[in-house]
Amino acid sequence: MEIYGMVTGKAGKSGYGSASTAEDVTHSIDAKHLTAIITGGTSGIGLEAARVLGMRGAHVIIAARNTKAANDSKEMILQMYPNARIDCLQLDLSSIKSVRSFIHQFLALNVPLNILINNAGVMFCPFQLSEDGIESQFATNHIGHFLLTNLLLDKMKSSARESGIEGRIVNLSSIAHTYTYTEGIMFDYINDPDRYSEKKAYGQSKLANLLHSNALSRKLEEEGVNITINSVHPGLITTNLFRHSGLGMAVLKAMSFFLWKNIPQGAATTCYVALHPDLKGVTGKYFTDCNVTTPSNFAIDTTLADKLWDFSIKLVDSLP
């Protein structure tokens, strides 16, 4: 049924499907009272999400490694919507130092935070370590966003408490979370080049995004906080993420062309989960094509999620 929906664009229970665009799923939504951070909002579905949230009136902070690209994106959005509220801050998710610096810069703006979209990522990279000595895909896709989210939680909690508006966190995962190492997360060999597979390492990092969402969802519910967190698979989209892909991916795309989305369609699920009123109170779910779907068994393993949480905390705390 999911494949049928992907091919035909047939809407699911939400009323939306693979053919829906970010503008479609946010039609008539007024976001003027919201402030959102979008990581990697300079290209692809991140830029589209920034554009659509800005169009709907949200104050959007584009967090990006390349400040020139971020400012170019801001100018593009302002040319389309002169009244849009867009700010840019530098953020390199592969660097713990940069994440902490971003938090300092953001808090200095003295604005609320209602929505956090953890969109940025790298994919299929050759083996390399970050400046903190962590395998680059795990560092960028998981650890950077894990730390960013944790350091922004107090601001999100106070914003939700003072405004009465539900906070929402959206983690960009992927169907690739199903293609990972045998044990799901290779805790003892994260940085081992001899065991490294660029595709399984990517799948591992996307599984980590789901496990992070599910663990944090449980913690926030136990605390009684008015914040939800969900994961999304945006779909198959041709973006800069595929810059490290080779001939095999080109062949796969040619054979599965009917499954691929354009960028407005690719950003739809992100924007739906971030803004749609029908999702009030919905947390700890995994969305594909704007509908809840079931992830892998690893992704719903609470023991694995707790182990990853503790591992991530210890890893971050061990760094200078």
Side-chain angles (χ1 to χ4, degrees), residues 21 30 32 35 37 57 71 75 77 97 99 118 131 152 168 180 210 227-228 243 269 279 308 313:
T21 67
D30 183 355
K32 292 185 180 68
T35 299
I37 291 174
N71 282 307
E75 290 307 311
I77 295 171
K97 179 181 178 181
V99 173
N118 289 323
E131 67 177 44
L152 288 170
R168 293 189 182 183
T180 183
L210 266 160
I227 299 173
T228 65
R243 62 186 177 275
T269 305
L279 296 186
L308 176 64
I313 291 288

Side-chain angles (χ1 to χ4, degrees), residues 250-318:
V251 172
L252 174 62
K253 182 181 178 184
M255 296 174 62
S256 60
F257 67 93
F258 50 87
L259 298 177
W260 290 67
K261 296 180 178 181
N262 58 39
I263 287 174
Q265 292 169 338
T269 305
T270 298
C271 292
Y272 174 72
V273 175
L275 287 183
H276 206 282
D278 284 355
L279 296 186
K280 181 175 176 58
V282 175
T283 190
K285 303 299 183 182
Y286 174 55
F287 289 80
T288 299
D289 298 334
C290 302
N291 287 274
V292 174
T293 191
T294 303
S296 70
N297 289 334
F298 277 139
I300 58 176
D301 186 332
T302 57
T303 300
L304 184 61
D306 290 341
K307 184 176 181 180
L308 176 64
W309 185 280
D310 293 340
F311 177 85
S312 303
I313 291 288
K314 290 176 182 176
L315 180 57
V316 169
D317 288 347
S318 72

Side-chain angles (χ1 to χ4, degrees), residues 217-227:
S217 174
R218 286 186 284 114
K219 292 177 186 295
L220 293 172
E221 283 190 299
E222 289 168 4
E223 196 177 335
V225 177
N226 189 23
I227 299 173

Side-chain angles (χ1 to χ4, degrees), residues 96-255:
I96 298 302
K97 179 181 178 181
S98 178
V99 173
R100 294 188 185 280
S101 175
F102 172 85
I103 297 297
H104 179 75
Q105 295 176 67
F106 172 73
L107 294 178
L109 295 177
N110 195 31
V111 295
L113 180 59
N114 311 104
I115 298 169
L116 172 60
I117 299 177
N118 289 323
N119 164 83
V122 293
M123 181 179 183
F124 301 166
C125 305
F127 180 83
Q128 59 182 331
L129 297 178
S130 70
E131 67 177 44
D132 300 302
I134 307 168
E135 186 275 309
S136 61
Q137 296 193 79
F138 194 76
T140 304
N141 297 351
H142 170 59
I143 291 296
H145 281 128
F146 176 85
L147 178 61
L148 177 73
T149 302
N150 278 2
L151 294 178
L152 288 170
L153 274 179
D154 283 345
K155 170 59 77 170
M156 292 198 74
K157 289 176 183 178
S158 65
S159 298
R161 184 172 58 250
E162 293 166 8
S163 67
I165 298 170
E166 177 182 80
R168 293 189 182 183
I169 302 169
V170 184
N171 275 349
L172 271 285
S173 181
S174 168
I175 196 172
H177 82 274
T178 61
Y179 185 71
T180 183
Y181 297 106
T182 304
E183 59 269 56
I185 305 292
M186 200 165 55
F187 292 104
D188 296 329
Y189 303 101
I190 291 289
N191 298 331
D192 188 342
D194 295 329
R195 298 173 183 257
Y196 183 74
S197 160
E198 60 189 28
K199 292 180 175 59
K200 288 184 179 180
Y202 178 70
Q204 173 180 250
S205 71
K206 295 291 98 180
L207 172 60
N209 295 149
L210 266 160
L211 292 169
H212 171 215
S213 294
N214 295 343
L216 182 54
S217 174
R218 286 186 284 114
K219 292 177 186 295
L220 293 172
E221 283 190 299
E222 289 168 4
E223 196 177 335
V225 177
N226 189 23
I227 299 173
T228 65
I229 176 168
N230 292 288
S231 301
V232 306
H233 165 53
L236 297 172
I237 311 125
T238 301
T239 69
N240 289 339
L241 273 180
F242 285 93
R243 62 186 177 275
H244 294 295
S245 301
L247 178 61
M249 185 57 67
V251 172
L252 174 62
K253 182 181 178 184
M255 296 174 62

